[in-house]
Amino acid sequence: MYTCSKCNYQTESEANFCPLCGNQLVKDEPVQPVQQVTYSYQPAPQPQYTPNVQGPHLAMKIVGMSLGITGFVFAFLAFIYTMPVLGWAESLAIPFVFSFFCVPMSIIGLIFSIKNANQGDISAFSKIGKILGIIGLALIGFTFFLALIASA
């Protein structure tokens, strides 16, 4: 097939010039299909988050709850033993002595219970440890407050 470069007339004859405009005919070359290259982007696989299904160990749950209960018990004993002696001059000694046991145990019990809850523990162990640890700290503070008022 021959094509005129000026008027695009196509003919199959092997003439050298276009019969319409007289311009030179050019032999058409078969067009090779262009191979199209496609690129695909695949991101690198990301690590998948797997939650800690197991949660904290049972011993950690029991330790947090036990320390919270023990701190509460010492605060309660300080409160009970301070009430009869509120008129005495030594009324500050009893809550002071009990606070040596109550405050560290309540705080450590709170730390264990909160840590267990953050690790996915929804059992009563963490709840009891947190609640009684907070109540123990509040009660020992209230007992100190009453003893200070009574000794003044």
Side-chain angles (χ1 to χ4, degrees), residues 25 35 40 47 65 67-69 75 78 82 96 133 140 142 147:
L25 293 175
Q35 184 179 7
S40 63
M65 181 185 71
L67 288 173
I69 290 172
T82 302
F96 187 72
I140 198 70
F142 181 68

Side-chain angles (χ1 to χ4, degrees), residues 130-145:
K130 283 191 291 190
I131 291 170
L132 291 180
I134 291 170
I135 291 173
L137 289 173
L139 188 59
I140 198 70
F142 181 68
T143 306
F144 262 116
F145 177 72

Side-chain angles (χ1 to χ4, degrees), residues 16 20 24 27 43-45 47 66 72 82 96 98 104 107 110 135:
N16 288 333
L20 295 178
Q24 186 175 6
K27 185 174 181 177
S66 301
F72 170 75
T82 302
F96 187 72
F98 277 104
I107 290 174
L110 271 171
I135 291 173

Side-chain angles (χ1 to χ4, degrees), residues 67-87:
L67 288 173
I69 290 172
T70 308
F72 170 75
V73 167
F74 277 110
F76 186 73
L77 290 175
F79 181 73
I80 295 295
Y81 286 125
T82 302
M83 290 301 109
V85 295
L86 275 180

Side-chain angles (χ1 to χ4, degrees), residues 90-103:
E90 299 87 21
S91 62
L92 273 176
I94 293 173
F96 187 72
V97 169
F98 277 104
S99 70
F100 276 118
F101 298 105
C102 167
V103 172

Side-chain angles (χ1 to χ4, degrees), residues 109-127:
L110 271 171
I111 290 170
F112 273 95
S113 297
I114 290 171
K115 182 180 176 187
N116 292 339
N118 287 343
Q119 290 179 354
D121 181 29
I122 57 171
S123 67
F125 293 110
S126 293
K127 293 175 186 172

